[in-house]
Amino acid sequence: MSPSLSSRSSAVVTGGAKGLGAEIARRLAARGHHVVIADLDDAAAATLADELGGRAVRLDVADADACLALAEDLPDLGVWVNNAGVLAVGPAWSTEHERRRLLVDVNLHGTMNGTTAALRRFLPAGTGHVLNVVSTAGITPAPHETVYGATKHAALAYSIGTALDLRITGHRGVHVSALCPDGMWTPMLHDLARDPDAWPSWQGGMMQPGDVADVAVRLLDRPRMVRVHPRWRGVLRVGAAFPGAAAHLLPAIVADARRRQRAFADRHPR
């Protein structure tokens, strides 16, 4: 078991008020952690914090100073989960500049800011675990989620590179892991179930956040640099290595994903 999970340390979960973040927070609280729900949704964060006996903090992950201040305020910090994320769908050129900037600020800079803030605590202590929620969009290009995928590719590279930096510098008790889940039924997708541009999220089916949260906590117990869930979706790396071949298969992939999406939307009317 990772040392960061062996005692009642504090655990920060960004974007923790709903969806996957909330499920991870519930599992960390059940293990005895004092959970800090860091989110821009004050009301939802406060409700969940009350449920878990934790603390709600309003946090814009794009604000590096705010992330550092939160970590500084938690001397017993043991886990930091960078879960906050933003999605945009449609062809790459259809995403407006401000939306692109938001995706980069939250998905990439937010991951960097949270990781850096947590490491400021973990390195002197010699223990701690950063878990970066990436996506399968981080291991293969995702057309129609192109800008999102670009930020997730960068977040994955940053996570792996930081983990290797820790090894090179001898910080064996401090871990950085990247969790790359497939499509997940969270508030991020609730309004996109019938949007044909959102088909990439339905390529491999649609998971529930609780299932992914279970994997996240196991990853904290047994650290790995990268964990794709479900494991078989790791085959997407082949498509990334041979984009020309993947392009030939794209029409069939899109048609199947949209079929899955329509069937899911019919089963889950909103």
Side-chain angles (χ1 to χ4, degrees), residues 35-37 44-57:
V35 179
V36 179
I37 311 299
T47 297
L48 183 59
D50 287 344
E51 173 193 329
L52 302 181
R55 171 184 170 192
V57 174

Side-chain angles (χ1 to χ4, degrees), residues 96-118:
E96 298 294 337
H97 170 71
E98 289 305 317
R99 187 67 176 176
R100 292 198 308 269
R101 181 184 293 276
L102 178 64
L103 263 71
V104 172
D105 281 347
V106 174
N107 299 349
L108 178 55
H109 291 154
T111 297
M112 292 179 170
N113 293 340
T115 301
T116 301

Side-chain angles (χ1 to χ4, degrees), residues 124-267:
T127 185
H129 201 137
V130 176
L131 173 59
N132 292 329
V133 178
V134 183
S135 168
T136 51
I139 62 174
T140 191
H144 275 57
E145 291 183 358
T146 308
V147 178
Y148 176 78
T151 64
K152 292 299 186 176
H153 271 66
L156 182 61
Y158 174 77
S159 299
I160 295 172
T162 305
L164 294 174
D165 284 340
L166 289 169
R167 291 195 180 184
I168 291 170
T169 54
H171 294 285
R172 297 287 177 174
V174 180
H175 303 281
V176 174
S177 298
L179 174 62
C180 299
D182 213 345
M184 209 178 349
W185 190 233
T186 68
M188 181 183 284
L189 291 177
H190 286 176
D191 294 332
L192 298 175
R194 296 194 180 277
D195 186 337
D197 284 340
W199 64 266
S201 294
W202 274 267
Q203 284 184 78
M206 184 58 60
M207 300 183 294
Q208 294 300 319
D211 298 331
V212 180
D214 289 337
V215 175
V217 173
R218 289 199 296 270
L219 188 57
L220 291 173
D221 284 343
R222 301 184 66 180
R224 294 181 56 182
M225 278 188 280
V226 181
R227 173 72 158 86
V228 179
H229 182 69
R231 290 182 187 275
W232 70 269
R233 291 291 277 169
V235 72
L236 291 170
R237 293 168 175 163
V238 177
F242 301 97
H248 287 296
L249 299 173
L250 195 57
I253 292 171
V254 174
D256 181 66
R258 285 179 171 160
R259 177 188 61 78
R260 292 171 182 263
Q261 181 183 7
R262 288 192 298 269
F264 184 91
D266 289 342
R267 292 195 305 270

